[in-house]
């Protein structure tokens, strides 16, 4: 049963520290998404990759956030420096484009981040 | 642009009650429509989907029909269980090469025994 994995599951850090979140997409998937979920804003798309190339990061604060895919099995989301307002659950999702429509996204369990 | 509007929650039902969660959308072209479910402490997972008008998606007793004339994709279940308590997200994916999904705000369902 293939799944998206994310590490760490929980992270508590102090304001100003760097935070790195990692995601392993499902083998064979060619799209990766990063989302942020908060009570106030709901689910927000931060970044989207296809075939490891960033296609959309318009939802991401550019001054402190960065997203990369160093290889097909690893996606990273970094926050530097972190701020209390970054506290949220960060989800990674992967999928496979087919052009036929109806492509499903498979979500990881999330990283719960608390910035003090 | 694309948008998804779903009914505000929380929705509280007794076990075995009938469930409807309304979802309407705005999109260009012919989007695919989805319902995702999020159980406490977990990520979203696909519940059902429909890729063209009049298609009915179904899974685990849940159903939703793609109504292009009313731009709706309402989620229904005839008899809910306590284990159905979760947050339900309606979503759309536009046709074409860009795979960005537009999610609704989510509707929390609580089923009480």
């Amino acid at each position: 049963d293939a799944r998206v994995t994310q590490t760490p599951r929980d992270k508590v850090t102090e304001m100003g520290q760097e935070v790195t979140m990692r995601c392993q997409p499902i083998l064979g998937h060619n799209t990766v998404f990063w989302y942020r979920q908060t009570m106030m804003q709901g689910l927000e798309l931060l970044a989207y990759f296809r075939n490891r190339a960033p296609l959309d990061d318009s939802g991401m604060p550019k001054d402190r956030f960065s997203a990369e895919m160093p290889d097909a099995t690893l996606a990273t989301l970094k926050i530097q420096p972190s701020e209390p307002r970054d506290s949220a659950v960060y989800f990674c999702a992967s999928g496979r484009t087919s052009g036929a429509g109806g492509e499903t996204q498979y979500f990881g369990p999330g990283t719960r981040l608390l910035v003090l | 642009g694309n948008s998804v509007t779903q009914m505000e929650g929380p929705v509280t039902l007794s076990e075995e009650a009938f469930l409807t969660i309304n979802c309407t959308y705005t999109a260009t072209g012919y989007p695919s429509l989805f319902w995702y479910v999020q159980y406490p402490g977990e990520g979203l997972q696909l519940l059902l989907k429909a890729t063209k008008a009049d298609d009915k998606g179904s899974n685990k007793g849940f159903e939703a029909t793609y109504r292009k004339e009313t731009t709706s994709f309402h989620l229904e279940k005839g008899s809910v269980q306590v284990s159905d308590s979760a947050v339900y997200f309606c979503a759309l994916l536009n046709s074409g090469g860009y795979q960005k999904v537009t999610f609704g705000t989510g509707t929390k369902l609580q089923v009480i025994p």
Side-chain angles (χ1 to χ4, degrees):
Chain A
D1 186 20
R3 298 187 182 196
V4 175
T5 59
Q6 290 186 246
T7 57
R9 290 295 310 274
D10 290 277
K11 177 72 175 179
V12 180
T13 191
E14 294 188 343
M15 183 173 61
Q17 296 299 304
E18 177 178 304
V19 175
T20 298
M21 290 169 272
R22 294 177 174 82
C23 167
Q24 182 173 9
I26 293 173
L27 189 65
H29 283 186
N30 65 340
T31 59
V32 170
F33 304 82
W34 282 104
Y35 292 93
R36 176 171 62 185
Q37 187 177 39
T38 61
M39 289 293 291
M40 294 300 294
Q41 299 297 327
L43 200 62
E44 302 173 277
L45 177 67
L46 297 176
Y48 162 51
F49 291 79
R50 186 167 69 202
N51 298 324
R52 294 177 55 203
L55 291 193
D56 185 353
D57 60 0
S58 58
M60 201 164 63
K62 300 294 190 301
D63 54 338
R64 299 183 300 108
F65 285 61
S66 62
E68 296 179 346
M69 278 201 74
D71 61 61
T73 64
L74 177 65
T76 62
L77 179 67
K78 291 186 181 181
I79 309 174
Q80 170 61 20
S82 57
E83 297 182 1
R85 59 179 168 155
D86 301 328
S87 299
V89 181
Y90 291 81
F91 289 104
C92 174
S94 72
R96 184 165 49 209
T97 57
S98 69
E103 290 88 348
T104 299
Q105 292 189 15
Y106 295 83
F107 281 73
T111 294
R112 187 180 304 271
L113 174 64
L114 177 61
V115 183
L116 302 174
Chain B
N2 299 333
S3 68
V4 174
T5 302
Q6 57 182 112
M7 62 190 288
E8 298 251 348
V11 174
T12 302
L13 295 174
S14 297
E15 207 165 19
E16 299 184 3
F18 184 86
L19 168 71
T20 300
I21 301 178
N22 290 337
C23 171
T24 56
Y25 68 91
T26 302
T28 56
Y30 303 95
S32 298
L33 301 174
F34 305 80
W35 277 100
Y36 282 82
V37 59
Q38 184 178 28
Y39 298 102
E42 298 183 11
L44 281 69
Q45 56 185 273
L46 179 69
L47 179 60
L48 53 85
K49 67 182 180 182
T51 58
K52 60 183 187 297
D54 299 326
D55 268 5
K56 177 187 283 187
S58 60
N59 186 27
K60 299 181 181 179
F62 291 89
E63 292 182 341
T65 301
Y66 189 157
R67 302 284 188 200
K68 191 167 178 63
E69 64 277 12
T70 54
T71 62
S72 64
F73 193 56
H74 305 322
L75 182 68
E76 297 183 336
K77 186 175 185 182
S79 176
V80 294
Q81 305 301 312
V82 172
S83 57
D84 294 327
S85 299
V87 181
Y88 293 81
F89 291 87
C90 186
L92 73 83
L93 173 64
N94 242 338
S95 55
Y98 188 32
Q99 299 300 307
K100 181 176 179 179
V101 173
T102 301
F103 285 94
T105 54
T107 301
K108 184 175 182 179
L109 170 66
Q110 184 177 11
V111 181
I112 54 178

